[in-house]
Amino acid sequence: MASQALPARGARLGRAVAPGLVPVQGSVPRQRDREPGATVRAVVLALPAGDALSTRRRSPVAAAAVWPLARHLVREGAGEGVTAHLVHYRFRGWNGGHAHPAEDAEWAVGETVRRYGDVPVCLVGIDMGARAALHAAGHPAVTSVVALSPWLPPGPEPEPVKQLIGRKVLIAHGTDDESTDPELSYRLAERAKKVNRQVCRFEVHSAGHALHPHRAEVFALTADFVLGCLLDRPFTRPVADALAAPPPLGLRMPLAAGFGRSLRA
């Protein structure tokens, strides 16, 4: 990889996700712009999955997979000034020590600050995007991170955790995930909890990598955490308990069936 000339290509932010969508042909729907004059108080940056090694352009399929969650977060928080953008990577792959998606995520946070000013940012990633979110959390504007089914390949050096100090962190992983090892995300959460008490991890029982059987619960959990962090809303009791509990309790918290349908604690 180091000996190859990489294509000259820049990362970019997708258009702001809006709750009202205009159906068009293609993998990611076109959206209406935000209402003129709408004040943005907080921003979610959605980071799609990718490949271990690739210099191809971003995957439209991966972008489409993270789109519904970004739209759900905007629907839940748009009335209080929350907007979201998908991050379009320069390259589809992590590419070893280049860690291109992590660099792109950090660039995206800086671009967010340039556009919107001093607003809190939450990084929400899936698979490789989750790893990028965790790596880019050290940017001063980032207040929180959500890592869903994070891709954390074993290597000679442990994943960094010091950049998570001062951030609230949620990790959720399916217990039946055969693509990314849930035990590795537990170990990372355990190490992160030692330097930052504001870390929690939920286990989605009987769910695989895409978390499809419990999509509604995962969306509700993510919204509860993200909007609690960005808007200072109270967390539901399971999230508050998971953040407060010592390991292993707060890092192996089961995601209950029907989460989000009960009244907030």
Side-chain angles (χ1 to χ4, degrees):
M1 181 66 62
S3 62
Q4 297 178 359
L6 296 174
R9 190 183 301 151
R12 64 182 181 87
L13 293 184
R15 294 176 63 186
V17 175
L21 300 177
V22 180
V24 296
Q25 185 176 3
S27 57
V28 177
R30 184 184 304 158
Q31 57 207 305
R32 299 185 180 97
D33 294 330
R34 291 179 57 85
E35 294 181 7
T39 300
V40 174
R41 293 179 52 202
V43 177
V44 175
L45 294 179
L47 302 166
D51 299 332
L53 293 171
S54 177
T55 57
R56 297 175 62 192
R57 293 184 181 274
R58 68 176 183 88
S59 166
V61 174
V66 76
W67 183 273
L69 178 56
R71 184 177 59 187
H72 176 76
L73 295 173
V74 170
R75 282 178 173 170
E76 292 294 309
E80 296 177 73
V82 175
T83 193
H85 292 269
L86 268 65
V87 178
H88 298 309
Y89 308 132
R90 290 169 292 169
F91 310 111
R92 189 174 301 195
W94 185 269
N95 300 326
H98 291 289
H100 288 128
E103 290 184 349
D104 294 344
E106 189 166 357
W107 169 86
V109 180
E111 176 65 12
T112 297
V113 173
R114 187 190 70 81
R115 292 189 187 187
Y116 297 111
D118 185 18
V119 296
V121 176
C122 179
L123 300 175
V124 178
I126 297 176
D127 185 80
M128 187 188 73
R131 189 184 187 193
L134 292 164
H135 276 242
H139 192 289
V142 176
T143 62
S144 50
V145 178
V146 176
L148 302 178
S149 304
W151 174 66
L152 303 167
E157 297 293 332
E159 289 288 305
V161 294
K162 289 186 177 179
Q163 77 281 4
L164 300 175
I165 295 174
R167 281 73 177 155
K168 291 184 174 67
V169 181
L170 166 68
I171 298 172
H173 215 142
T175 57
D176 293 346
D177 192 336
E178 296 182 354
S179 297
T180 60
D181 189 349
E183 190 59 28
L184 291 179
S185 75
Y186 173 79
R187 294 176 194 171
L188 179 135
E190 191 175 39
R191 291 175 49 241
K193 190 81 169 180
K194 291 179 180 179
V195 299
N196 175 18
R197 297 179 62 186
Q198 297 296 298
V199 176
C200 63
R201 179 178 172 276
F202 281 74
E203 294 188 335
V204 189
H205 289 283
S206 76
H209 187 62
L211 303 171
H212 280 320
H214 302 285
R215 170 173 152 151
E217 288 88 348
V218 171
F219 276 30
L221 172 68
T222 304
D224 184 85
F225 180 83
V226 170
L227 301 180
C229 292
L230 294 179
L231 302 175
D232 292 325
R233 291 183 182 178
F235 296 120
T236 52
R237 181 164 295 170
V239 173
D241 288 349
L243 287 168
L249 296 177
L251 304 181
R252 294 197 184 276
M253 186 71 69
L255 181 60
F259 181 95
R261 291 202 292 265
S262 59
L263 294 175
R264 301 182 68 86

